[in-house]
Structure formats: C-alpha cells, structure tokens
C-alpha cells in the first residue's frame, strides 16, 4: 500500500498493550505527516452509553492508552495509530451495523471487541468474510470460538479472524461451582439467568459442574436483562431453602436483584460471573456485603506486569475507571499493534495490499508479556491464560477471595 494512505485499524471493544512493551512516559511522539508515515486508526466497539457503559468506557480508554503509548514509542516505524470508538449500546443490532461500517471502510485493518457475547455473534461472520481481525477483551461465550457443539466434545473453529484475551465460561462457570461447594460449603443453589448468550451460557456451565459435585439446584428462574422488579423471585427463593443464588447475567439487573433479596429477608450470598464484578454492582446494591463474583484472569492490581499500566492510566486522567476489562483491552490492542508490526517488518517497512489477511495470521502467532500476563492464542483463538479470581464484596469494595485455575 502506498505511503500516506489512511488505514483505520478498528478495534471493536478491547485494547491491549503489554506492560513490558509500553513506551516510557515523556518519549517523543511520532510526527504527524512525517515523510513515509502511514496512519492506522484503531477503533473500539463497546457499550459507550447505557447500563453497561462503565465497562465499555473502561475498554475504550484502555485502548486509547495503548495507541498513545505505541505512538510515543514509535512501536511500528512508519506507522501512526489513531482510535475510532463506536457505541453498540450492548445490543446485537447496533453491533452488526458497526461491523458492517468498519468493514466497508477499506482503511480499517483490525477490531477490538465487543463486550457482550451476544453482540459478538452478530459481528463475527462480517469480520471473517472481510479477513478483518477481531479481538475481544471480554467475550466468554464458548461457542464463539469453539462452535455450537463444543459441549459434546465436537470443537470446531468457525471464524479464523476471531480472538479473545479473556477466558471462557467453560472454565468460569465450573470454577464458581467448585468454589461454592468446596470453599463456601454451599450445596443448595437457586439458579437465575437473564436469557442472554452470556448469562444463559454461564449458568449452564455452572449447573453442570455444581450438580456433578453433588450440589442441588433447588429452583430455577429466567429474567429479562431490563427487569428491575424481582418480588416474585424473592418469594420463590425464600421458600426454596437455597443457601446461595447463582446469577448468570450482568450487574444492571444483578444489583437490584440482590438488594431486593436482602430487603425481603433472604440473607444469602448472590454469586455471578465477570458481568457483575463492577463497582456499579455495589452502587446499585448498598446491601451487597458478602456477594460473590468470578472474574477472568488474576487481579490486575496484584500483577507486577500491570503496575505501569495502572500508573499510566491514572496519569492520563481518564474520567472513567479501567474497570474489569481494562488490562485485557490494553492487551487486545497491543496484540493487533504487534500483528501490524510483524506484517510491516515482513514487507520492507510497508503495509502490503492484503494487510488484513496477513494481520490475522500474524495475530495467531503473537506471544508477548502483557498487562494481564502472557498473551498468546490457541488453535481456537482463545487465550492461553486460563487463570481466574473469586471476589467478595467487603466494606463496599470487591476484595480477592481466591485465585487459581479450574481443576477440570
């Protein structure tokens, strides 16, 4: 591709830089319009408005930080990165429109995102048909990478362009079940999910492991993500004899659900996945003390590899927190940046005409030390990092209860 061409790298929802690969603060930025430079825009697709915007804005800001630091360090000689953020409002239809928009722009070379597995389903085919790399920092639905028949052992990768830096519900749900049975000694669970791809899938993998360990599901209910009145469910849970609730879904409904349970006299913990492990869950539920959540990976705040990312994010003075997926977003963005770097290096310092397809292949082969640990992908495009964390709400904050890997 000729010099001075505009190449937009759209990263739909997650940006990732490795801490070891970051440039130091104060390094000189690449000059705009310098001779021989190519502009590459990294886009973000995430819920930037609406109930899940706290997570989406953390994703966007973390990608933005990765882009700024790549430019400051001149990570890819001759290439300057920019960011383009698109709002999917956590819904499949806008996500699909965003994917079509990004593919139509021939300058786009990669995508980070989205946050929601249900949104990813609407985007994957579009990106794959265009050989446009997609890396999500947050999707946990197993079928996205391993196919609809994965649970029966028939794993098949449908989209070679799809990757993720977060681990899947195939390990997250069972990890939670093992914690409740072995650590919390809870054998009777009331199971609730929001019927979305993420929530239903998470609840399903939890149930399989929980019953396998000898636990009993004393009741099951399905809610809608927009529900906020849970009086009927409170009555059912109260009479079920449940020792805990497991919720497959996200914090906008989980917070009010837990609050109404506590106010209704059901003083047992509610546990969920990474979709509820947000500061906003606690804001929505002042009685959340003792509630539990799993999150993919280890606590960023405790990782030596993340110290620089945390310090730089704070120094950048973003209005919104990096939240649960900040480190994974930074690493997702950095993986695409490294893919571009490899392709440019292999083509005498220039992006080739078939850069999209070559970046897909380059990302499959990348391996580097990132914010969240080693960043690399297996044959399905899934992260090779399978570690998880259990958090509990203590004194108005999420506190680490247990770290480890799923013993499956």
């Amino acid at each position: 591709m000729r010099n001075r061409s505009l190449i937009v790298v759209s990263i739909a929802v997650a940006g990732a830089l490795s801490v070891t690969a970051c440039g130091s603060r104060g390094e000189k930025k690449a000059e705009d319009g310098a001779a021989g430079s190519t502009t590459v825009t990294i886009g973000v697709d995430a819920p930037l408005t609406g109930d899940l915007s706290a997570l989406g804005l953390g994703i966007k800001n973390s990608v933005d930080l990765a882009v700024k630091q790549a430019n400051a360090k001149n990570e890819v000689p001759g290439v300057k990165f920019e960011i383009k953020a698109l709002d999917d409002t956590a819904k499949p239809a806008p996500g699909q429109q965003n994917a079509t928009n990004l593919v139509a722009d021939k300058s786009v070379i990669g995508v980070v995102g989205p946050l929601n597995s249900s949104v990813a389903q609407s985007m994957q085919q579009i990106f794959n048909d265009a050989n446009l790399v997609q890396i999500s920092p947050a999707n946990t639905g197993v079928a996205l990478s391993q196919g609809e028949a994965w649970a029966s052992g028939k794993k098949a990768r449908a989209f070679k362009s799809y990757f993720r830096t977060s681990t899947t519900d195939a390990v997250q749900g069972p990890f939670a079940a093992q914690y409740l049975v072995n650590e919390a000694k809870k054998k009777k669970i009331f199971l609730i999910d929001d019927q979305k791809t993420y929530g239903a899938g998470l609840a399903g993998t939890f149930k399989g492991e929980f019953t396998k360990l000898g636990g009993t599901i004393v009741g099951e209910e399905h809610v809608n993500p927009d529900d906020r009145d849970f009086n009927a469910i409170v009555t059912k849970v109260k009479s079920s004899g449940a020792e805990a609730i497991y919720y497959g879904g996200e914090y906008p409904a989980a917070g009010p659900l837990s609050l109404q349970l506590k106010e209704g006299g059901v003083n047992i913990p509610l546990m969920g996945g990474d979709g509820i492990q947000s500061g906003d869950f606690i804001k929505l539920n002042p009685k959340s003390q003792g509630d539990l959540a799993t999150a993919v990976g280890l606590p960023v705040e405790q990782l030596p590899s993340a110290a620089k990312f945390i310090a730089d994010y704070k120094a950048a003075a973003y209005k919104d927190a990096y939240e649960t997926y900040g480190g994974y977003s930074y690493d997702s963005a950095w993986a695409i940046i490294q893919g571009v770097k490899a392709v440019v290096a292999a083509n005498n310092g220039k992006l080739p005409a078939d850069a999209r397809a070559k970046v897909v292949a380059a990302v499959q082969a990348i391996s580097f030390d990132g914010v969240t640990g080693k960043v690399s992908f297996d044959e399905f495009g899934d992260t090779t990092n399978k570690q998880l964390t259990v958090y509990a709400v203590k004194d108005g904050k999420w506190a680490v209860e247990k770290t480890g890997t799923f013993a499956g």
Side-chain angles (χ1 to χ4, degrees):
M1 196 167 286
R2 290 200 304 256
N3 295 334
R4 302 182 190 276
S5 59
L6 178 64
I7 299 173
V8 179
V9 176
S10 145
I11 298 181
V13 177
L17 255 205
S18 95
V19 168
T20 57
C22 293
S24 301
R25 287 193 296 267
E27 288 182 314
K28 184 178 180 182
K29 294 183 179 181
E31 293 182 5
D32 295 355
S37 68
T38 296
T39 298
V40 178
T41 303
I42 294 181
V44 178
D45 176 272
L48 305 180
T49 59
D51 288 340
L52 293 173
S53 61
L55 298 178
L57 291 168
I59 289 170
K60 184 195 80 168
N61 294 342
S62 299
V63 175
D64 181 70
L65 181 62
V67 166
K68 288 178 177 176
Q69 293 189 329
N71 288 338
K73 188 183 178 182
N74 193 25
E75 181 66 19
V76 184
V79 174
K80 176 180 179 291
F81 294 92
E82 292 183 351
I83 181 175
K84 176 182 179 181
L86 300 177
D87 183 10
D88 62 27
T89 67
K91 293 181 174 61
Q96 186 175 57
Q97 292 170 2
N98 289 345
T100 300
N101 180 307
L102 295 169
V103 165
D105 185 342
K106 298 304 180 184
S107 63
V108 173
I109 200 172
V111 174
V112 173
L115 168 70
N116 305 86
S117 294
S118 56
V119 176
Q121 286 180 317
S122 74
M123 309 174 96
Q124 285 180 299
Q125 189 70 60
I126 297 170
F127 289 139
N128 199 70
D129 288 348
N131 289 316
L132 187 59
V133 70
Q134 172 187 13
I135 306 180
S136 172
N139 294 163
T140 57
V142 190
L144 294 172
S145 57
Q146 299 179 24
E148 295 297 336
W150 70 270
S152 64
K154 298 178 181 178
K155 299 179 180 180
R157 185 177 185 178
F159 306 105
K160 69 180 183 299
S161 64
Y162 178 81
F163 301 85
R164 56 177 140 203
T165 53
S166 62
T167 195
T168 72
D169 294 331
V171 295
Q172 184 175 201
F175 186 71
Q178 290 183 354
Y179 175 83
L180 284 178
V181 172
N182 299 329
E183 307 286 334
K185 308 301 181 184
K186 307 294 185 184
K187 294 294 185 71
K188 296 180 180 180
I189 300 297
F190 199 102
L191 187 63
I192 306 171
D193 73 74
D194 66 359
Q195 305 179 77
K196 291 173 65 175
T197 302
Y198 164 72
L202 185 61
T205 58
F206 170 87
K207 180 179 180 180
E209 181 70 11
F210 185 74
T211 54
K212 176 180 156 184
L213 294 171
T216 301
I217 303 297
V218 297
E220 291 188 57
E221 282 292 329
H222 306 285
V223 299
N224 292 314
D226 296 330
D227 286 350
R228 297 295 182 266
D229 182 352
F230 302 104
N231 286 328
I233 289 180
V234 169
T235 300
K236 291 180 181 179
V237 175
K238 197 169 187 177
S239 63
S240 70
E243 298 169 335
I245 301 103
Y246 189 80
Y247 180 74
E250 296 150 331
Y251 66 80
L257 170 61
S258 177
L259 177 60
Q260 290 172 41
L261 284 163
K262 306 292 196 298
E263 290 180 336
V266 185
N267 294 309
I268 57 177
L270 178 144
M271 186 176 197
D274 53 324
I276 79 168
Q277 203 265 310
S278 166
D280 278 26
F281 173 83
I282 299 172
K283 291 178 184 177
L284 291 168
N285 181 12
K287 295 185 178 182
S288 56
Q289 179 84 0
D291 283 347
L292 302 158
T294 51
V296 296
L298 299 180
V300 170
E301 293 77 12
Q302 295 183 14
L303 293 174
S305 60
K308 189 176 188 303
F309 163 74
I310 294 171
D312 289 349
Y313 193 97
K314 182 178 181 180
Y318 293 110
K319 185 178 70 172
D320 310 285
Y322 53 80
E323 281 280 355
T324 304
Y325 305 109
Y328 298 94
S329 301
Y330 190 92
D331 284 343
S332 298
W334 200 246
I336 291 180
I337 290 167
Q338 291 303 299
V340 172
K341 184 176 182 178
V343 169
V344 168
N347 193 52
N348 298 316
K350 300 178 182 179
L351 278 168
D354 58 347
R356 283 183 171 180
K358 281 188 165 59
V359 169
V360 170
V363 167
Q364 181 67 63
I366 63 99
S367 178
F368 62 90
D369 293 325
V371 170
T372 59
K374 177 67 71 175
V375 177
S376 60
F377 305 102
D378 65 16
E379 68 270 29
F380 300 105
D382 288 331
T383 178
T384 56
N385 184 347
K386 308 295 185 184
Q387 295 173 307
L388 298 104
T389 301
V390 175
Y391 292 87
V393 178
K394 294 183 178 178
D395 300 322
K397 295 180 180 179
W398 287 107
V400 176
E401 282 288 294
K402 175 184 173 66
T403 61
T405 56
F406 166 55

